[in-house]
Amino acid sequence: MNNPYGDALLGHQSRPTAPVRAGEGKGERAGGASATFAELLQRVKAEGLLDLAPRYYFGRLALNAAIFAVGIAAFFALGDSWLQLLVAVWMGFSGGQSAFMWHDAGHKSMFRNRRAASLVGYIHANLVNGVSYGWWVNHHNRHHSHPNHLDMDPDIGRRTVIFDMKQYPGRKGRQRLIVRYQSVLFFVLLVLESYKMGKTAVQMISRREVRRPTLEATLLVVRMAIFLTLLFTVLSPLLAVAFFLVQNATLGVYFGMMFAPNHKGMELRDGEEESLDWLARQVLTSRNIRPSLVIDFLYGGLNYQVEHHLYPAMPQKNLARARELTMAYCAERGMPYHEVGFWASYKEVATFLHEVSAPVRDGRAGATSQAA
């Protein structure tokens, strides 16, 4: 069934680019006061959208394995050639695609069985990408509970860029230079995202802040041993280093491409308590990227960020239909629902980061932070 509210909602694209705080503009959201998640969830469940889709995920796992295998085959076929840098880009892309598998496994949208989900998670996170699956699950669950909350969302806390001037006093040295030009440097520094996640993995495992530190450490060591052995056996030393850097940079940018447009520039909260109910908390803080076959594939369903946050255990293939139901329900209840195109999403993020850091560039940072 086509969504009768779709065209109207897609035309309603304006969102403030400065930080929006819960409680501001309540008059604009008054129409959504009668919206309840239980009512919307009932519609979603009635269509079976939360039911597992094992065939779909076995197909996705097979596709991911094929993408990885193509890269390995090309690596051995090319040998010691600078064309290997194209293979490095491909393997970075392959790693990003595998991230969708550990993501969905961690949300139990792939398997409800914990052992099966963990098996997929550890293989795709630790072994394929050098990321700690145990750390990520804990970190990501806290993000889902309080998205865009300055004090409760760890995705905000671990960034160098700021989302509100109250965070600026905590930035020192070169971090302040990054904040000054964060609308550009945020995207440039994504090349380091894979390295940062790997570094975090080592730190969390060494501190034994994950459930299975020995298993996770073993998988990381095996991954690095295989990776470096292949590089320095097949390639010359200089090319091996270049391959390593390009693959990690590509993976980092792809990681950033996944998360950058999801919440930045959407509604913010802070304080010791959560001020929004579950429905408003997820809808008002999330930004969708308008779907297409290409976008859905590249984002692994995370372009349906509103729906993913409302129904985190929903199989990826059902998010498109859930979007139709959610958009219609929000239209009925007068709740803002934000969806934009691919380029517009990144423009909104850059504009938001630029406006937040404006007091740093024009010398008002000290006065602003004191006033806050």
Side-chain angles (χ1 to χ4, degrees), residues 258 261-262 287-292 294-308 316 319 323 337-340:
M258 296 177 201
N262 296 344
R287 175 192 291 106
N288 275 17
I289 298 179
R290 195 168 301 129
S292 69
V294 173
I295 292 296
D296 288 2
F297 176 72
L298 288 178
Y299 283 85
L302 295 184
N303 51 305
Y304 301 99
Q305 192 65 198
V306 173
E307 289 69 35
H308 170 59
Q316 188 184 120
L319 291 169
R323 166 182 172 267
Y337 180 109
H338 193 50
E339 179 177 282
V340 295

Side-chain angles (χ1 to χ4, degrees), residues 88-199:
V89 172
W90 179 266
M91 295 307 288
F93 167 75
S94 173
Q97 282 289 309
S98 76
F100 299 134
M101 297 299 95
W102 98 57
H103 174 272
D104 286 16
H107 278 296
K108 303 298 190 294
S109 57
M110 183 180 294
F111 305 109
R112 299 286 190 257
N113 181 276
R114 186 170 186 169
R115 288 187 178 181
S118 295
L119 177 64
V120 172
Y122 285 122
I123 290 175
H124 288 267
N126 293 69
L127 189 59
V128 175
N129 282 306
V131 174
S132 168
Y133 178 67
W135 162 78
W136 177 85
V137 168
N138 177 268
H139 177 95
H140 196 63
N141 284 343
R142 288 187 289 138
H143 159 69
H144 266 262
S145 296
H146 303 282
N148 260 23
H149 193 293
L150 293 174
D151 297 315
M152 299 182 185
D153 183 353
D155 267 1
I156 285 181
R158 76 185 185 95
R159 300 293 168 194
T160 300
V161 300
I162 63 173
F163 302 84
D164 187 278
M165 278 304 299
K166 68 171 284 186
Q167 297 176 299
Y168 185 65
R171 304 299 186 265
K172 307 297 180 183
R174 64 176 183 175
Q175 293 180 332
R176 294 200 164 194
L177 177 63
I178 292 173
V179 169
R180 177 180 289 269
Y181 305 107
Q182 66 179 18
S183 62
V184 174
L185 291 181
F186 170 78
F187 296 98
V188 173
L189 294 175
L190 289 179
V191 297
L192 299 176
E193 187 65 21
S194 176
Y195 162 76
K196 290 167 60 179
M197 292 185 76
K199 179 181 177 181

Side-chain angles (χ1 to χ4, degrees), residues 191-265:
V191 297
L192 299 176
E193 187 65 21
S194 176
Y195 162 76
K196 290 167 60 179
M197 292 185 76
K199 179 181 177 181
T200 299
V202 173
Q203 291 173 337
M204 294 298 103
I205 293 170
S206 63
R207 297 173 190 168
R208 304 188 73 82
E209 295 185 16
V210 295
R211 289 188 61 193
R212 298 177 177 174
T214 302
L215 172 63
E216 294 212 34
T218 300
L219 291 173
L220 292 186
V221 171
V222 169
R223 172 187 182 271
M224 191 56 68
I226 294 174
F227 193 14
L228 295 181
T229 298
L230 287 176
L231 290 184
F232 285 94
T233 299
V234 176
L235 309 180
S236 63
L238 181 61
L239 180 53
V241 172
F243 187 105
F244 183 88
L245 294 176
V246 170
Q247 189 271 340
N248 277 276
T250 302
L251 181 58
V253 171
Y254 199 3
F255 279 156
M257 180 181 174
M258 296 177 201
F259 70 73
N262 296 344
H263 305 282
K264 293 168 183 61

Side-chain angles (χ1 to χ4, degrees), residues 81-93:
S81 165
W82 282 94
L83 290 175
Q84 288 281 12
L85 295 186
L86 296 177
V87 179
V89 172
W90 179 266
M91 295 307 288
F93 167 75

